[in-house]
Amino acid sequence: MGYRVIDRENYYRKDVFRHFSEDCKCSVSMTARVDVTDLAECSRRTGTKFYLNFLYLLAKVMNSREDYRMGYLWQTDELVCYDVVHPTQYVFHDDTETCTPVYTEYSEDYETFYSNALRDLEEAKKTRAYALDAANHPNWFDASYISWLSYDSLHVELPDGYLHLAPIVNWGRYREENGRLVMPVSVRLNHAVADGYLIANVFRLLQREIDAFAGSR
């Protein structure tokens, strides 16, 4: 796990960070629909899992910009930028109606990531433990699929006093609208390191990566 300590005096969001980490501690959540028509078709055509293909593209987007790789080390009161962030995905167990967190390392190489993520999922199906280990996984972000509903909005609340800077991303079932498949995606980021522009940019980057990925296969 590598990271770079941010010099807060020269941080381009210095004033914003101070305000939203001291005066007005809060996060920002946004839900928008992403067109996944081509990704769904690509997944069917290649015999791959839509869920894992989307997870790969989401992790790629989260690693594409430093603003999405920020972290806070409370032990040393340091603002840091991680070299890479990895997705924490989840397995739902029908028999217990509970989830197991799954730590999957991000790789820019699609085939490597896909095989590793699939392996991790299969291993997690063997347990019913909620084996969350955030202390040893500081540069992991939450990536959770809400498979039972194509929702319109979602809000994730965290204690205002806790500087949780890692992104929290949820998405639901896609549905057909006007001949296209659209999927609700929700992105939560701490306001100290992100604003509306940066959150909206996640959706724009996702759409670009989806289109490029589907068009190349």
Side-chain angles (χ1 to χ4, degrees):
M1 178 194 65
Y3 61 82
R4 175 175 58 86
V5 177
I6 301 296
D7 178 0
R8 295 191 200 182
E9 287 302 312
N10 294 306
Y11 180 35
Y12 88 103
R13 293 178 58 85
K14 171 186 174 182
D15 294 335
V16 176
F17 181 85
R18 188 205 61 77
H19 177 64
F20 287 109
S21 64
E22 298 178 15
D23 303 331
C24 182
K25 299 177 181 179
C26 64
S27 60
V28 180
S29 297
M30 189 180 298
T31 298
R33 296 171 187 168
V34 176
D35 189 328
V36 295
T37 308
D38 295 339
L39 183 61
E41 172 57 31
C42 173
S43 301
R44 285 192 293 268
R45 187 174 66 252
T46 57
T48 55
K49 295 182 180 297
F50 171 89
Y51 163 78
L52 291 182
N53 289 338
F54 179 77
L55 185 67
Y56 166 73
L57 296 173
L58 174 63
K60 186 176 183 181
V61 168
M62 291 295 101
N63 278 283
S64 67
R65 181 168 176 143
E66 288 189 353
D67 296 288
Y68 308 137
R69 305 198 309 267
M70 303 296 285
Y72 174 69
L73 307 182
W74 62 268
Q75 301 92 333
T76 55
D77 188 31
E78 290 179 310
L79 178 65
V80 302
C81 176
Y82 292 108
D83 296 338
V84 61
V85 290
H86 311 283
T88 305
Q89 54 174 320
Y90 291 83
V91 164
F92 180 77
H93 308 292
D94 291 311
D95 55 341
T96 59
E97 297 183 344
T98 59
C99 293
T100 294
V102 184
Y103 292 104
T104 294
E105 291 192 0
Y106 170 68
S107 172
E108 190 173 357
D109 180 74
Y110 165 70
E111 283 76 16
T112 299
F113 177 87
Y114 188 94
S115 62
N116 289 344
L118 185 60
R119 176 205 61 205
D120 295 339
L121 284 174
E122 293 304 314
E123 284 298 313
K125 290 178 181 178
K126 301 175 183 178
T127 180
R128 297 297 181 269
Y130 190 74
L132 192 65
D133 185 19
N136 292 312
H137 298 83
N139 57 323
W140 262 254
F141 69 93
D142 200 86
S144 180
Y145 173 40
I146 303 173
S147 61
W148 310 276
L149 185 69
S150 183
Y151 61 85
D152 292 316
S153 66
L154 182 147
H155 180 66
V156 178
E157 294 188 15
L158 290 177
D160 288 341
Y162 180 46
L163 275 180
H164 183 87
L165 304 186
I168 297 177
V169 183
N170 301 86
W171 63 99
R173 297 180 64 175
Y174 57 69
R175 62 180 184 262
E176 184 175 345
E177 289 186 2
N178 300 318
R180 305 293 292 180
L181 299 178
V182 295
M183 186 171 74
V185 179
S186 301
V187 179
R188 177 267 178 199
L189 284 165
N190 193 292
H191 209 343
V193 294
D195 50 26
Y197 169 79
L198 287 171
I199 297 178
N201 195 49
V202 172
F203 298 99
R204 297 194 297 172
L205 292 173
L206 262 177
Q207 194 65 67
R208 187 178 72 184
E209 291 296 340
I210 286 172
D211 295 343
F213 179 86
S216 66
R217 282 166 168 75

